[in-house]
Amino acid sequence: MDRLVVEGGQRLSGEIQVSGAKNAALPILVSSLLSPHTCVLENVPDVGDVRTMYQLLGVLGTTTNWDGNRLLIKTEALQTHEAPYSLVSTMRASILVLGPLVARGGEAIVPLPGGCSIGSRPVNLHIDGLRALGAEVCIQRGSIHVKARRLKGTRISMEPSSVTGTENLMMAAVLAKGVTVIDNAAREPEVADLAAFLVKRGARIQGCGTNTITIEGVEVLNDHEHPHKIMADRIEAGTYLIAGAITQGDVTVRLTSPQLLDDLCTMLHATGAKISRKHGSIRVKMDRRASSVDVTTGPSPAFPTDLQAQMTPLLSLANGVSLVTETVFENRLTHVSELRRMGANITTNGNQATITGVDKLSGAPVMASDLRGGAALIIASLAADDKTVISRVYHVDRGYERIEINLKTLGANVRRVKGNNA
Ligand code: UD1
């Protein structure tokens, strides 16, 4: 298993290009199951989860042909309607194949993904939604079995709103008979990117970006070979901006829609950073110790849970006391115990963390236990004294393309050690 070795204390400065969003790419790749036509995608990130999705789709009958970040993807015919447990167990987003498999082939068997390090993460909304669309669903031997001749449009209400739940049901409803309305749908921009892609292929979807999405089912999706460019990864961009702030640096990220990070920019501004947003980029410049701020996560348009962990090290070095409240997942503070080992003063109570800023963090051997928690440890290591060795970097590689190369471009002293060699 790879590790990252970081010698902290370098002020990051410079500019980097943000990759395509993993959380938009995954459902868009899966949506290729809905028709036999070739889809052309650009800006597809080369990250662990996307590679796992290629494997899963490959089993189902999809062919992928990629050249850098450009991808030709096609599912001429479904080879099987059963997703293998070995792949589903490594990536929860595999649940996304459920809706498209039923919509295209009338049947799906997908193992229950189970819990993960950030919470129990049920999939009841995916299952209830498919039942509402007329599918027969049962759970047998740990797998969800779904059958439907043709799904029928209906009104579905989500509580709480689920990102992949909305995407799954939206993909299922695209080929259903009649109109489906999803109330309390997720408003994350990645859901809107999936909808935009489906609409290009002839789907009839309205209301994305609001909490009511209306889908008028069509018989088939069209052959549409014009490339779709995956939206920029707002979470990756935010991670580098926070890294710039914690090192009192000057970092610019290039991304087509800077407004995707309005929340984070407001938060960083409140810590004392100077933010300039231009068409196509965001620059963060920090020339003093950060001030404390309170962070409460929530579904879009609230502050994203996927940036909560990365804020924690910045607030650990801030002047004053900050309160971080995680409202989306029940166990998303696992990085805190590792940050404490680096000298952070953090107490937790349920899903709230009280962070009393300290003057310095110290390098230590630490272990990533999830994707964003791993990114938080890297951010902490950039500002820590001495050397930090971060193990289980594969968690980070699931969602960040060439993270150490980007950090080196910005002036960080970081290297990857392959396998078990220290
Ligand atoms: C997606 C993102 C993930 C992000 C999360 C929240 C992808 C591939 N992953 O995950 O990076 O952290 O959104 O923004 O896009 N819930 C239920 N029942 C369900 C489904 C969800 O109760 O059937 C609950 C969850 O436990 C959680 C909340 O709904 O408390 C939101 O989870 P959800 O939006 O579904 O997260 P994911 O789609 O898995």
Side-chain angles (χ1 to χ4, degrees):
M1 280 187 274
D2 291 4
R3 305 170 196 191
L4 287 185
V5 179
V6 182
E7 300 278 351
Q10 311 296 320
R11 192 178 161 269
L12 298 195
S13 90
E15 192 169 304
I16 54 160
Q17 176 67 46
V18 172
S19 306
K22 165 185 88 76
N23 286 355
L26 293 174
I28 287 175
L29 291 174
V30 170
S31 76
S32 74
L33 292 171
L34 288 167
S35 82
H37 307 303
T38 302
C39 308
V40 186
L41 300 172
E42 290 176 348
N43 208 27
V44 182
D46 185 9
V47 294
D49 276 3
V50 166
R51 286 170 178 252
T52 306
M53 190 57 91
Y54 291 157
Q55 282 184 52
L56 172 57
L57 293 175
V59 171
L60 300 176
T62 305
T63 53
T64 49
N65 198 331
W66 34 293
D67 176 13
N69 298 103
R70 185 182 162 93
L71 173 78
L72 265 62
I73 184 166
K74 180 179 186 175
T75 314
E76 201 159 340
L78 293 174
Q79 297 300 325
T80 172
H81 56 263
E82 187 163 356
Y85 177 67
S86 56
L87 290 170
V88 175
S89 61
T90 61
M91 185 178 66
R92 291 188 49 81
S94 308
I95 189 76
L96 283 165
V97 301
L98 196 61
L101 279 178
V102 184
R104 170 105 175 256
E107 199 167 2
I109 302 178
V110 178
L112 283 162
C116 76
S117 57
I118 63 171
S120 62
R121 304 188 74 174
V123 289
N124 58 304
L125 297 167
H126 302 244
I127 293 173
D128 294 349
L130 286 172
R131 276 204 181 106
L133 286 164
E136 278 173 40
V137 186
C138 66
I139 311 291
Q140 275 172 15
R141 293 174 49 78
S143 291
I144 312 164
H145 293 240
V146 188
K147 272 190 185 170
R149 211 168 269 161
R150 187 175 178 200
L151 296 167
K152 290 190 191 68
T154 187
R155 191 155 199 137
I156 299 166
S157 185
M158 294 220 155
E159 189 50 52
S161 76
S162 160
V163 174
T164 48
T166 303
E167 292 164 346
N168 218 339
L169 299 179
M170 187 161 81
M171 288 189 279
V174 151
L175 295 182
K177 187 171 168 31
V179 176
T180 301
V181 179
I182 307 177
D183 289 317
N184 200 26
R187 287 191 271 171
E188 271 65 8
E190 292 76 14
V191 178
D193 203 30
L194 168 65
F197 177 61
L198 291 169
V199 166
K200 282 182 187 168
R201 295 166 62 198
R204 298 198 187 128
I205 304 173
Q206 284 183 329
C208 270
T210 74
N211 53 16
T212 303
I213 298 178
T214 305
I215 305 128
E216 192 188 330
V218 294
E219 296 281 333
V220 285
L221 291 181
N222 303 331
D223 195 0
H224 176 88
E225 289 209 11
H226 292 296
H228 177 81
K229 187 172 179 186
I230 306 281
M231 65 176 281
D233 196 318
R234 62 197 170 108
I235 306 302
E236 184 199 22
T239 302
Y240 290 117
L241 292 174
I242 298 169
I246 199 171
T247 61
Q248 300 196 11
D250 183 356
V251 167
T252 300
V253 292
R254 286 196 304 273
L255 77 170
T256 34
S257 312
Q259 71 279 6
L260 293 174
L261 280 166
D262 281 353
D263 283 348
L264 177 71
C265 289
T266 306
M267 199 63 77
L268 289 177
H269 180 71
T271 67
K274 295 188 184 100
I275 309 286
S276 18
R277 262 166 293 198
K278 292 207 184 106
H279 182 66
S281 73
I282 305 176
R283 178 179 180 185
V284 63
K285 205 172 164 202
M286 187 71 144
D287 48 22
R288 65 174 179 80
R289 182 180 183 185
S291 304
S292 56
V293 289
D294 293 342
V295 177
T296 301
T297 66
S300 185
F303 190 85
T305 173
D306 282 353
L307 281 174
Q308 174 263 110
Q310 298 91 315
M311 281 299 286
T312 324
L314 176 65
L315 301 179
S316 295
L317 286 172
N319 193 7
V321 179
S322 309
L323 190 65
V324 171
T325 309
E326 169 61 47
T327 73
V328 180
F329 293 110
E330 71 264 34
N331 188 26
R332 211 174 195 181
L333 296 172
T334 48
H335 51 286
V336 163
S337 52
E338 293 299 86
L339 289 174
R340 278 197 204 114
R341 295 182 52 251
M342 297 178 74
N345 180 354
I346 309 176
T347 54
T348 56
N349 181 6
N351 57 6
Q352 265 192 344
T354 304
I355 306 174
T356 306
V358 293
D359 290 340
K360 67 177 183 110
L361 295 175
S362 309
V366 289
M367 193 186 284
S369 56
D370 70 276
L371 166 57
R372 306 305 171 187
L377 297 178
I378 295 174
I379 290 173
S381 71
L382 294 168
D385 287 350
D386 300 329
K387 183 167 88 173
T388 300
V389 181
I390 300 142
S391 54
R392 304 206 174 170
V393 175
Y394 63 86
H395 284 296
V396 178
D397 294 334
R398 284 182 35 219
Y400 291 88
E401 193 172 334
R402 296 187 298 269
I403 189 161
E404 74 276 19
I405 293 172
N406 280 334
L407 288 172
K408 269 190 208 157
T409 304
L410 296 173
N413 185 344
V414 50
R415 67 191 163 92
R416 179 178 290 259
V417 179
K418 292 272 177 197
N420 286 323
N421 306 321

